[in-house]
Amino acid sequence: MAAVLTGCGVTGDSGDVTLKLVAADYGDNDSNSSRHYWDDLVNDYEKQHPGVKIDVSVYSWNDVDRKVKEMTDAGQAPDLAQIGAYADYAAKDELYRADDVLSISTQADFVSQLVSAGQVHGVQYGMPFAASTRLLFYNKTLFDKAHIDPPKTWAELAADAAALKDKGVKYPYALPLGPEEAQAETMQWLLSGGGGYVDTVGTYGIDSSQNVQTFTWLKNELVGKDLTGPVAPGRLNRADAFTAFADGQVGMLNGHPSLMQMAAKKGVKFGMVTMPGVNGPSRSVMGVADWMMAFKKNGHREQIRDFLDFVYSEKNVLDFSRTYDLLPVTTTASAAMNGSGQDKDIQPFLEQLPLSELYPVGKTSWASVSADIKKRIGQTVDPTGSAVSVLGQLQSAAVAADSAQP
């Protein structure tokens, strides 16, 4: 008896296969929703592969991780998910290894730093889908009025912020430690201070002496001197900081490539430099990647493999990266951008990717640790807060979470 099924991994009586893909939305309105990118890609793929259908659901970043978790918890895992983390699913043995669902040439084309970040216990499960790095953006008009140059050190950044404040700039340095993306701003500052979330062997070191010194400096030299604006850093979200920069109210802030387009649309003249460090430009920069993963539950490994090879073709990687001002995750697409005049604005970010350090996403505990950082890191710079106390609490919780994971 032939059964016609609906949902994930459909196989009907015609022998056709349907792959279910859940993806994140990188657009900020209906006109530039990622839905349009996937519709075009799927249309091209299905024309060439009449026996395979691709069913794509696109959700906002506020919802997509939860949607995938709900589906897997209900025993209805999609075939593919493109979200922000993968390690929890890998630890539960729910994912295909990357080499099970990618051709040798496709897997070998990934940027090396992203391959390492996609591994759990030395095995790659997370396939990088989009990447970015961060630079310090500054408002050229406000800098000219204050007669200052872009900073190279923390001391210069503080001095520039003071000069901007004297000129009435609302946010001399915008410090978004609010719950939206505090883990990113935190990591940039930790790296610029010679620290980070983990040590050289991958063990959490959130309360290291370097990290304590970094947040003590932020509290005393920026926040305590009223150089970060009218909103307490712990309540300032990245999106609001970006909007304020595009409105000409921010002198400096850390930003990723999409901020270029936001600022340009509002006519803001801006420059970008490497994040300042204690004694000069930071030697370590932050990179961010989002991930594709393939679930084993429905089978269809060969169809997934064929589709992913199409997704990661140079044309499709370039199309996505250019549409959303992101960095390509493959070396061939990166080389194409490097050699193209149309991508000159993104070159500073592209140059940093091979040197970047990513979140410890290979740790199955990172999701809970990141959520804890978002919730509490702003307390380090509150008037009554203490970097030693807050970072110590975050470290204890991180160690406990890490010990509880498989």
Side-chain angles (χ1 to χ4, degrees):
M1 180 173 65
V4 180
L5 306 178
T6 59
C8 305
V10 182
T11 302
D13 54 6
S14 65
D16 288 354
V17 169
T18 296
L19 300 179
K20 174 70 176 177
L21 165 64
V22 177
D25 196 344
Y26 289 79
D28 54 13
N29 56 61
D30 288 341
S31 66
N32 69 356
S33 169
S34 297
R35 160 60 63 185
H36 303 301
Y37 170 81
W38 286 112
D39 283 348
D40 290 342
L41 184 148
V42 166
N43 185 55
D44 289 344
Y45 181 79
E46 290 181 348
K47 285 179 180 178
Q48 301 173 36
H49 302 80
V52 179
K53 301 295 182 184
I54 312 296
D55 178 12
V56 182
S57 299
V58 176
Y59 297 99
S60 75
W61 277 107
N62 293 328
D63 300 322
V64 67
D65 285 356
R66 174 177 54 82
K67 289 287 186 181
V68 173
K69 185 177 186 303
E70 289 173 352
M71 293 172 70
T72 56
D73 287 349
Q76 299 176 343
D79 296 282
L80 294 160
Q82 185 271 299
I83 55 177
Y86 65 86
D88 284 354
Y89 301 108
K92 297 175 185 175
D93 195 29
E94 295 177 335
L95 302 180
Y96 283 115
R97 296 164 53 118
D99 54 12
D100 285 335
V101 289
L102 294 173
S103 66
I104 294 174
S105 59
T106 296
Q107 188 175 13
D109 197 25
F110 288 135
V111 175
S112 60
Q113 283 82 355
L114 304 180
V115 172
S116 299
Q119 295 177 347
V120 175
H121 303 311
V123 177
Q124 185 182 1
Y125 295 94
M127 295 166 278
F129 182 77
S132 69
T133 56
R134 306 296 167 95
L135 291 169
L136 182 75
F137 282 67
Y138 65 96
N139 184 309
K140 287 186 173 182
T141 302
L142 298 179
F143 266 58
D144 288 345
K145 289 180 179 178
H147 305 291
I148 54 177
D149 296 317
K152 296 180 181 179
T153 67
W154 286 2
E156 291 176 3
L157 186 149
D160 284 351
L164 291 164
K165 180 186 175 184
D166 289 344
K167 292 296 183 180
V169 176
K170 187 173 183 179
Y171 294 91
Y173 177 85
L175 182 65
L177 297 178
E180 178 197 359
E181 204 193 31
Q183 84 284 2
E185 183 75 11
T186 297
M187 184 169 174
Q188 287 196 221
W189 278 100
L190 297 183
L191 291 174
S192 72
Y197 287 130
V198 296
D199 60 23
T200 55
V201 295
T203 302
Y204 283 117
I206 298 172
D207 63 346
S208 69
S209 60
Q210 297 99 320
N211 293 347
V212 169
Q213 290 170 8
T214 294
F215 270 87
T216 300
W217 186 90
L218 281 172
K219 178 181 177 179
N220 294 339
E221 301 301 324
L222 288 187
V223 181
K225 294 183 178 179
D226 196 26
L227 299 178
T228 54
V231 179
R235 296 199 299 272
L236 180 65
N237 282 325
R238 181 208 55 181
D240 296 328
F242 277 20
T243 298
F245 185 83
D247 288 340
Q249 299 177 339
V250 175
M252 298 173 281
L253 86 168
N254 286 314
H256 53 62
S258 68
L259 183 56
M260 295 189 298
Q261 191 176 101
M262 287 181 62
K265 284 181 179 178
K266 292 291 191 73
V268 172
K269 296 179 180 179
F270 61 90
M272 303 176 296
V273 294
T274 299
M275 175 72 179
V278 178
N279 299 312
S282 178
R283 295 181 180 179
S284 298
V285 298
M286 188 184 78
V288 177
D290 300 323
W291 304 94
M292 180 76 77
M293 67 197 79
F295 287 87
K296 296 192 293 186
K297 181 174 178 57
N298 306 306
H300 307 314
R301 183 173 69 88
E302 291 303 320
Q303 290 86 354
I304 292 172
R305 179 189 180 108
D306 191 73
F307 178 63
L308 287 179
D309 279 349
F310 185 79
V311 168
Y312 285 110
S313 67
E314 181 180 323
K315 174 188 179 298
N316 287 326
V317 172
L318 283 173
D319 284 349
F320 184 83
S321 300
R322 287 168 172 162
T323 298
Y324 296 105
D325 287 327
L326 291 165
L327 303 182
V329 297
T330 63
T331 56
T332 52
S334 295
M337 271 197 170
N338 270 321
S340 171
Q342 75 178 93
D343 301 304
K344 62 181 180 179
D345 289 344
I346 210 166
Q347 291 298 320
F349 297 95
L350 196 58
E351 290 168 2
Q352 287 197 332
L353 187 59
L355 307 173
S356 63
E357 183 173 330
L358 280 72
Y359 299 131
V361 289
K363 283 181 166 292
T364 54
S365 58
W366 172 243
S368 64
V369 172
S370 176
D372 203 18
I373 291 167
K374 292 178 185 180
K375 181 179 178 181
R376 296 202 274 180
I377 196 65
Q379 298 169 14
T380 58
V381 296
D382 283 347
T384 58
S386 162
V388 172
S389 175
V390 176
L391 295 179
Q393 293 168 15
L394 289 170
Q395 172 69 7
S396 295
V399 170
D402 205 36
S403 299
Q405 297 295 330

